[in-house]
């Protein structure tokens, strides 16, 4: 279907999204901005893939990367609010995260991750919901086209898993609303890492079903991590889904991770609260990211748990 790409190894410096009401950007900002050429998802350059399911017992994994680029300018001085998928440096940046995730989500599975014109971190930092919703529409349209290409070119008898982090987590929520019922019958699970699922989302889409344990299928797994409830950032407030990826419980029963870290669900704010973890590898970013919340840890802190869980849910799906 798509050409296998070289795996880049590195430590991801993941940027996040901030969604707080604030000042309004002018209309001239939108009109004067440069919009990069759209991705052509028939071109293998637009994908990182890994074909690892030689036994035919795994699944197809569709992964959407988080935010990596800042606003940048073209040679003629026009401002751009999106990643450019035709820019090799931008693809390399996204590839750091994608390939690190592929190393565990793609084990025993076929793994597919598109490059897309993700909205830059500066877009989220406007703190303006109108600006954010206007700009991110293009990013989500790219993801939907990539997903449609993925579905059209894979063996649709096979199960599939969806996962995304941060802006990619937002894409997961949008794809659950976008997919067909035929698609949904093949869905093992959808992992929304570091983004929210609201009550309105669940009303808008019957395919958003909260995971209740480690082995249910056709479900959505969602979590966000903080050091204490007082650090819950505004952009995840209102989430109604949270499951502990260590013990796969939705109540407040704590779980021990790596013998030193305790992880428990706060059932009021629907977030994970961790204790015994400094998170020093994720320094604060501009005073709003990783300051009490630990947004940047979501795909990495629980990677062993996610790897085992994906395999378990695929096995359970194949029993039906």
């Amino acid at each position: 279907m798509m050409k296998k790409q070289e795996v880049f190894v590195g430590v991801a410096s993941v940027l996040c999204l901030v969604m707080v009401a604030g000042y309004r950007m002018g209309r001239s900002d939108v009109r004067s901005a440069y919009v990069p050429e759209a991705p052509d998802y028939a071109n293998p350059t637009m994908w990182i893939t890994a074909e690892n399911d030689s036994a035919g017992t795994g699944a197809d994994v569709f992964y959407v990367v988080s935010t990596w680029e800042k606003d940048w300018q073209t040679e003629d001085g026009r401002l751009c609010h999106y990643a450019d998928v035709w820019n090799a440096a931008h693809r390399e940046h996204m590839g750091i995260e994608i390939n690190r995730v592929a190393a565990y989500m793609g084990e025993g599975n076929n793994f597919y991750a598109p490059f897309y014109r993700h909205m830059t971190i500066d877009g989220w930092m406007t703190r303006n919901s109108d600006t954010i919703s206007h700009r991110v529409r293009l990013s989500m349209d790219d993801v939907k086209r990539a997903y449609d290409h993925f579905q059209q070119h894979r063996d649709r008898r096979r199960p599939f898993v969806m996962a995304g982090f941060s802006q990619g987590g937002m894409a997961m929520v949008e794809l659950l609303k976008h997919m067909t019922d035929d698609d949904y019958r093949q869905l093992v699970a959808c992992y929304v890492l570091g983004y929210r699922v609201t009550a309105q989302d669940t009303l808008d889409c019957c395919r958003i079903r909260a995971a209740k344990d480690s082995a249910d299928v056709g479900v959505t797994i969602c979590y966000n991590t903080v050091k204490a409830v007082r650090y819950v950032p505004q952009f995840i407030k209102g989430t109604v889904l949270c499951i502990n990826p260590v013990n796969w419980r939705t109540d407040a029963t704590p779980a021990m991770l790596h013998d030193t870290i305790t992880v428990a669900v706060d059932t009021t704010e629907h977030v994970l609260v961790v204790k015994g973890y400094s998170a020093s590898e994720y320094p604060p970013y501009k005073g709003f990211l990783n300051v009490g919340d630990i947004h940047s840890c979501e795909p990495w802190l629980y990677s062993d748990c996610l790897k085992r869980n994906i395999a378990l849910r695929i096995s359970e799906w194949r029993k039906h």
Side-chain angles (χ1 to χ4, degrees), residues 12-247:
S13 56
V14 179
L15 297 178
C16 91
L17 30 87
V18 175
M19 206 165 188
V20 189
Y23 68 85
R24 181 177 298 273
M25 295 289 288
R27 290 183 178 272
S28 61
D29 168 75
V30 175
R31 286 200 300 268
S32 64
Y34 171 74
V35 177
E37 181 183 349
D40 174 8
Y41 288 115
N43 186 333
T45 304
M46 296 295 103
W47 297 86
I48 289 180
T49 71
E51 306 281 349
N52 297 324
D53 186 14
S54 57
T57 57
D60 297 331
V61 177
F62 183 85
Y63 180 77
V64 180
V65 69
S66 68
T67 308
W68 276 82
E69 298 305 323
K70 301 177 183 178
D71 277 358
W72 55 281
Q73 287 189 337
T74 62
E75 290 183 358
D76 60 357
R78 286 183 292 170
L79 190 64
C80 185
H81 303 301
Y82 300 97
D84 182 356
V85 298
W86 301 100
N87 182 315
H90 289 194
R91 295 198 306 273
E92 184 173 356
H93 295 162
M94 288 183 269
I96 295 171
E97 176 187 325
I98 291 170
N99 285 299
R100 193 176 171 200
V101 169
Y104 71 89
M105 287 193 185
E107 186 171 315
N109 300 311
N110 295 335
F111 182 91
Y112 307 97
F115 298 117
Y116 69 110
R117 293 174 293 180
H118 63 258
M119 187 177 71
T120 62
I121 188 65
D122 300 84
W124 301 107
M125 289 172 58
T126 64
R127 299 175 170 87
N128 180 274
S129 58
D130 289 342
T131 297
I132 291 167
S133 62
H134 175 84
R135 290 186 191 171
V136 83
R137 190 177 302 125
L138 179 143
S139 308
M140 296 299 105
D141 285 348
D142 279 1
V143 171
K144 290 172 187 175
R145 289 193 302 107
Y147 170 84
D148 289 344
H149 183 91
F150 162 76
Q151 290 290 4
Q152 290 162 9
H153 290 82
R154 74 185 194 90
D155 181 349
R156 291 179 58 85
R157 296 168 298 179
R158 287 170 53 83
F160 74 101
V161 173
M162 298 198 310
F165 169 43
S166 195
Q167 189 166 170
M170 171 190 261
M172 292 300 101
V173 177
E174 295 307 307
L175 288 180
L176 285 164
K177 299 173 184 178
H178 171 76
M179 71 170 54
T180 66
D181 289 338
D182 285 343
D183 291 348
Y184 180 67
R185 281 189 278 272
Q186 305 302 113
L187 178 66
V188 174
C190 177
Y191 292 80
V192 178
L193 312 181
Y195 194 69
R196 67 186 180 185
V197 176
T198 67
Q200 189 61 51
D201 290 328
T202 65
L203 292 173
D204 291 343
C205 181
C206 63
R207 290 180 288 275
I208 299 178
R209 295 176 44 236
K212 300 298 185 183
D213 57 38
S214 64
D216 45 2
V217 298
V219 295
T220 297
I221 292 94
C222 178
Y223 63 78
N224 292 274
T225 306
V226 298
K227 291 185 177 181
V229 170
R230 67 181 180 276
Y231 295 121
V232 173
Q234 188 66 32
F235 74 90
I236 63 170
K237 281 187 177 292
T239 190
V240 294
L241 266 62
C242 184
I243 192 167
N244 190 328
V246 184
N247 61 10

